[in-house]
Amino acid sequence: MTPQMPHTAAWKTFTLVSFAAAAAMLTIGIFFLPADIWIKGYLAMAALFLTGTTFTLAKTLRDEHEANRLINKIEDAAAERVLREAVPGRL
């Protein structure tokens, strides 16, 4: 298994700017929407909730992936040890 390369500063900046631009466009769109204030408020709350749950989902999926990688690494090491002990001159 190869270690993952860290993200570059340019990529981190790009993702941050992209997120900020998307959030700003959504906010401006809701603000200038020709609708009553309660409709705008509902849309704004929905956008905030969706953003928060998106971060939560992404973190949960990443944590699960990282845990599975660790479990697989441990299982691979155990299988290698068993094979090494079962066939001493082979590995």
Side-chain angles (χ1 to χ4, degrees):
M1 176 173 287
T2 60
Q4 185 176 357
M5 296 296 294
H7 295 297
T8 63
W11 176 252
K12 290 178 188 176
T13 302
F14 172 75
T15 57
L16 181 63
V17 170
S18 296
F19 176 77
M25 287 187 288
L26 179 63
T27 303
I28 291 168
I30 291 173
F31 181 75
F32 286 111
L33 185 69
D36 293 333
I37 190 73
W38 68 271
I39 294 173
K40 291 179 182 183
Y42 179 80
L43 291 174
M45 288 188 317
L48 287 173
F49 186 66
L50 180 62
T51 303
T53 56
T54 301
F55 280 111
T56 303
L57 175 63
K59 184 180 181 334
T60 300
L61 292 175
R62 180 181 173 107
D63 290 348
E64 184 178 7
H65 175 73
E66 292 291 324
N68 287 338
R69 280 182 47 197
L70 178 61
I71 289 169
N72 289 340
K73 203 175 204 180
I74 292 169
E75 287 175 352
D76 288 347
E80 253 185 66
R81 191 186 81 234
V82 168
L83 287 173
R84 206 175 313 119
E85 290 171 359
V87 189
R90 292 258 189 156
L91 295 175

